[in-house]
Amino acid sequence: MAAVLFDFSGTLFRIETAESWLRAVLAETGHTLPEPELTRAARALEAAGGLPGGPEPVELPADLAGLWAVRDESAELHRAAYTGLSRRVPLPDPGLYDALYDRHMAPAAWSPYPDAAKVLRALRERGIGVGVVSNIGWDLRPVFRAHGLDAYVDTYVLSYEHGVQKPDPRLFSVACEALGADPRRVVMVGDNRAADGGAAALGCRVHFVDHLPVDRRPDALLPVLDLVS
């Protein structure tokens, strides 16, 4: 294999919990909620799908369905979709919804999976090109830099920068071209079978991992090294 493409959320990194997310924003903005209310609000925000990188909505509101379907095609659509969902949950200040959205883009809100650095470093040492292909509405490069992983990534292909979202094969094609790799010699690693599976249309091999908390998935990326050996 000549190159490996990775998804971001649920593959190389995991977003913080909804409770941690809400707690951080309340502290940053000087708001407080009694613990029972904070816990209930965090659960409601998670169920609503308001945390980007977290679970999808338990029930998608009809008025947001169209926006949700194209949310990763631009920064504006992404913010509108997620703040629209979080606004379904009452909070003490209307400004908290945008603050919550801003928080999820902070490097501190993300944790790399335990084996991410090891795998990325090993690929670099073997001369295997690495790309990150993500459906996202913001620039995730600072997250990689803050966690010391940017040095192992050769190219980033982000949906909002191209106006196209996975599973459209055009995103994977851009990544393969940037790496100078024949798609038939590329592995796509992701957690979403529908979105990441789109790479198969180009002839890429696709390998899936489970989107689990970091403490429950210590070594799911290691088999990638066997795929490129």
Side-chain angles (χ1 to χ4, degrees):
M1 291 294 175
V4 180
L5 306 178
F6 291 93
D7 174 49
F8 168 57
S9 175
T11 301
L12 290 175
F13 283 83
R14 169 85 178 199
I15 190 67
E16 65 187 333
T17 65
E19 183 173 327
S20 172
W21 176 54
L22 177 58
R23 194 179 296 278
V25 169
L26 291 173
E28 289 167 3
T29 57
H31 290 84
T32 59
L33 282 176
E35 281 297 312
E37 290 184 28
L38 190 154
T39 300
R40 283 196 295 271
R43 290 175 179 168
L45 285 165
E46 182 174 289
L51 173 59
E56 294 195 354
V58 172
E59 183 177 349
L60 183 62
D63 61 322
L64 290 177
L67 180 60
W68 179 257
V70 296
R71 65 192 182 280
D72 296 311
E73 292 183 3
S74 77
E76 294 76 18
L77 292 171
H78 196 266
R79 180 181 286 271
Y82 282 102
T83 56
L85 290 170
S86 65
R87 285 190 175 94
R88 304 282 166 157
V89 179
L91 293 175
D93 183 338
L96 287 172
Y97 302 107
D98 277 310
L100 283 167
Y101 184 85
D102 292 340
R103 163 68 187 183
H104 102 274
M105 297 185 285
W110 295 89
S111 297
Y113 280 95
D115 54 347
K118 179 178 180 179
V119 169
L120 292 175
R121 186 184 307 114
L123 292 172
R124 173 52 55 89
E125 291 171 351
R126 296 182 188 186
I128 303 293
V130 170
V132 172
V133 183
S134 177
N135 277 352
I136 199 164
W138 50 277
D139 186 6
L140 51 73
R141 295 173 183 86
V143 175
F144 279 78
R145 287 196 292 270
H147 290 278
L149 299 183
D150 181 62
Y152 305 122
V153 179
D154 299 296
T155 190
Y156 296 89
V157 180
L158 312 181
S159 60
Y160 85 102
E161 293 182 337
H162 296 271
V164 176
Q165 58 189 31
K166 298 181 291 186
D168 193 312
R170 285 178 289 176
L171 271 189
F172 306 106
S173 180
V174 169
C176 290
E177 290 175 9
L179 295 169
D182 183 330
R184 294 169 294 182
R185 299 185 61 222
V186 172
V187 180
M188 173 66 205
V189 184
D191 68 297
N192 188 307
R193 281 163 170 74
D196 300 313
L202 295 179
C204 298
R205 181 169 183 173
V206 183
H207 178 75
F208 295 108
V209 294
D210 293 323
H211 190 156
L212 296 171
V214 292
D215 60 351
R216 291 175 52 199
R217 214 197 74 189
D219 54 10
L221 294 170
L222 293 180
V224 173
L225 300 180
D226 294 327
L227 296 177
V228 300
S229 60

